[in-house]
Amino acid sequence: MDRRLSQGLIALAIAVLAAASPVNAWAAPDETYLRGYVDALLERDFPGQGLRVRSMAGGGVEIDGRTCLGPRERRDIERLLRRLTQVQRVVFAPSTDCGHEPPPGERPNTDIDINLLPERSLFAPLLADPREAHFLVSYQRYRAPTQAFNAASVAFGEYFPVASGTVGRFGTSQIGIQGAVFALFNLDAPSSDLVNADYWIGVPLSARRGPWSIRARFYHQSSHLGDEFLLGNPGVNRVNLSYEAVDAHLSYDWDRVRVYGGIGYLVHSEPSDLKRAYAQAGAEYVNPGAAGRLDFIAAIDLRASAELDWRIGRAIQAGLELRNASTRRTRLMLETYSGHSPNGQFYRDRLRYTGIGIYFGF
């Protein structure tokens, strides 16, 4: 009986204390849990950038960081956190501003933080570049000087980050691997002949500090004509086109607009008499939430080379993208191209095409 009486008194005391305690005292663990959960999300999806919750109040979350953030990173962070029903708005502390200087007497953070197998790439893919490593299926209407046909263009490729490192306020760097196969099929042929396949692999080094990002890479490309195409076109003079090249691209992001430019050089090529230099530039526009969960995207990519007397090839795309808070995304794009063919040994042929494609990002 004494034991039961003791347990009853303890239960009664707890009940009295609970009734007398302010509501905020019992709400505190919920806020603590939410803060910890948000910190865990930021560490999982943006490792090494020192992102954490600085304060929370009235459905708002203020984010502090060890590196400055660009517009796309801020947009991705907002997209991630706004999925939580408890978060109505996201603001960023001055430490995430690239122009922010530490208070007098406070030394800037220069700690080095290395992360293996990060999920996010520092240099965003070039959306309209016909030879960017990505997954796509596209229907295109080809118009060349000697023929016109319906074509299917497919690509299987992606960028895989291997490691990234953050050096305090100096930004973040990354190394990875890019690989892709680009194939073109003639849908008007009896067996939808494979016309050309380009095989591509490269090692990019990239870095980002706020709105600025840069990518330098070494890569190899080799091109091969399809067996059915060769059988149906016995007079074609096959060229064993392959080369190794280095290039570098610099990119700058505003809130909704991105511009980039770069130069490249063929280190080795077959045929060996190809002229070496080429250049590339472009711009992209994104309107987040233009149609509910869909973003509107428009992009243009310009490319010219010494081999083709610096005549410009233009690729233009516009469409809608569906993406979640992670890196997964799907785009439905209308596209057009005018210039020399990007397909292997046909690089000297003038080409125009229009089409529609589905792009997948992982």
Side-chain angles (χ1 to χ4, degrees):
M1 293 295 295
D2 293 342
R3 183 179 179 183
R4 292 182 181 177
L5 180 60
S6 299
Q7 291 177 342
L9 291 174
I10 293 173
L12 179 60
I14 292 175
V16 171
L17 290 174
S21 299
V23 175
N24 289 340
W26 293 97
D30 294 336
E31 182 176 311
T32 302
Y33 173 82
L34 180 59
R35 178 189 291 263
Y37 186 73
V38 171
D39 283 339
L41 286 178
L42 294 173
E43 179 59 29
R44 183 197 68 182
D45 286 13
F46 302 90
Q49 299 192 42
L51 299 176
R52 61 182 179 84
V53 176
R54 182 175 183 179
S55 64
M56 301 181 67
V61 177
E62 183 181 19
I63 303 300
D64 195 2
R66 192 159 60 84
T67 60
C68 62
L69 302 175
R72 293 194 180 209
E73 295 169 301
R74 292 171 184 250
R75 193 158 53 237
D76 287 344
I77 292 170
E78 291 183 11
R79 194 190 302 262
L80 172 66
L81 299 186
R82 290 293 297 274
R83 296 178 65 189
L84 304 176
T85 57
Q86 300 92 330
V87 178
Q88 280 76 51
R89 63 185 183 279
V90 179
V91 296
F92 295 90
S95 59
T96 63
D97 184 357
C98 297
H100 175 71
E101 295 295 334
E106 180 180 327
R107 298 179 58 185
N109 191 329
T110 57
D111 294 341
I112 299 177
D113 189 1
I114 304 297
N115 295 276
L116 298 178
L117 307 181
E119 291 189 9
R120 296 177 181 270
S121 60
L122 297 182
F123 189 92
L126 307 180
L127 298 181
D129 183 358
R131 282 301 179 264
E132 184 72 18
H134 45 208
F135 286 81
L136 79 91
V137 179
S138 178
Y139 163 79
Q140 298 167 345
R141 178 63 182 174
Y142 263 51
R143 295 177 178 84
T146 59
Q147 62 176 331
F149 62 93
N150 296 304
S153 177
V154 299
F156 306 94
E158 189 57 274
Y159 168 66
F160 183 80
V162 175
S164 63
T166 302
V167 186
R169 299 290 298 169
F170 297 105
T172 307
S173 59
Q174 190 174 86
I175 185 171
I177 298 174
Q178 275 183 315
V181 178
F182 304 92
L184 178 69
F185 295 86
N186 183 352
L187 298 181
D188 292 341
S191 59
S192 299
D193 296 351
L194 171 64
V195 178
N196 179 79
D198 294 330
Y199 296 82
W200 194 99
I201 187 168
V203 179
L205 295 172
S206 54
R208 172 174 283 278
R209 186 178 188 274
W212 291 98
S213 59
I214 187 171
R215 180 183 68 186
R217 61 185 179 178
F218 173 81
Y219 68 94
H220 164 83
Q221 177 177 314
S222 61
S223 300
H224 307 272
L225 297 178
D227 293 340
E228 298 94 339
F229 176 80
L230 289 173
L231 291 174
N233 298 271
V236 170
N237 180 26
R238 179 181 177 275
V239 177
N240 184 30
L241 178 68
S242 67
Y243 55 84
E244 289 78 41
V246 293
D247 64 16
H249 293 80
L250 182 65
S251 169
Y252 186 88
D253 292 305
W254 284 276
D255 182 33
R256 298 186 178 186
V257 177
R258 175 196 188 195
V259 295
Y260 62 85
I263 56 174
Y265 187 82
L266 303 185
V267 178
H268 172 266
S269 68
E270 187 178 345
S272 59
D273 59 349
L274 294 179
K275 295 180 181 179
R276 306 291 185 175
Y278 64 90
Q280 188 175 8
E284 299 166 3
Y285 170 80
V286 57
N287 183 5
R293 295 183 58 191
L294 300 176
D295 298 346
F296 173 76
I297 292 177
I300 181 171
D301 183 83
L302 309 174
R303 185 182 177 100
S305 68
E307 176 67 21
L308 300 173
D309 299 323
W310 299 107
R311 290 189 288 268
I312 296 175
R314 301 173 182 84
I316 302 174
Q317 293 189 4
L320 298 173
E321 179 180 75
L322 174 66
R323 63 179 301 172
N324 59 20
S326 72
T327 57
R328 293 187 181 274
R329 58 198 179 276
T330 301
R331 299 196 309 274
L332 179 64
M333 307 294 286
L334 299 174
E335 52 192 16
T336 181
Y337 178 85
S338 176
H340 287 87
S341 175
N343 301 302
Q345 77 163 55
F346 302 103
Y347 66 93
R348 289 189 177 278
D349 296 346
R350 297 290 297 182
L351 170 68
R352 295 178 64 91
Y353 68 71
T354 55
I356 183 170
I358 303 177
Y359 294 74
F360 304 92
F362 300 94

